[in-house]
Amino acid sequence: TALAEVELELMAAPHVGSVHRAEINVRIKGTLTHAQARRDTLHAAIDAAVGEAGTQLKKMRGKNRDLFRRAASKAKGYLGFKS
């Protein structure tokens, strides 16, 4: 089960004008991934935040896969299977 929360905000920045902020929080199996981006346009802010969240989720998936593979290898060793 996954839960995603998205927050969009139009901020008034001094000397710059308006800045859009996109924030994405994704919770998967108790692990929280947070991504935030500020850009001149709303679409650019969303795209940047989605890209950052995607990168973090891919990293998390790789770490979990590597952990599973190491555990499986150790289990095979304990049971006497050849790798």
Side-chain angles (χ1 to χ4, degrees):
T1 305
L3 174 67
E5 298 173 347
V6 179
E7 184 176 322
L8 305 172
E9 180 181 8
L10 175 62
M11 303 169 31
H15 308 294
V16 178
S18 61
V19 176
H20 294 84
R21 182 179 70 89
E23 181 178 328
I24 300 172
N25 294 314
V26 180
R27 184 177 303 272
I28 300 174
K29 296 181 183 177
T31 303
L32 178 66
T33 301
H34 175 80
Q36 180 176 331
R38 290 185 173 112
R39 300 287 187 271
D40 292 334
T41 65
L42 180 61
H43 292 286
I46 293 170
D47 289 342
V50 166
E52 184 182 336
T55 301
Q56 290 180 13
L57 289 170
K58 285 178 187 175
K59 240 191 230 183
M60 184 178 72
R61 181 179 63 191
K63 286 180 182 179
N64 287 342
R65 183 182 56 230
D66 293 344
L67 178 64
F68 177 77
R69 287 180 179 167
R70 283 195 308 269
S73 177
K74 284 186 179 183
K76 282 182 180 181
Y78 291 140
L79 296 174
F81 291 106
K82 301 274 182 184
S83 297

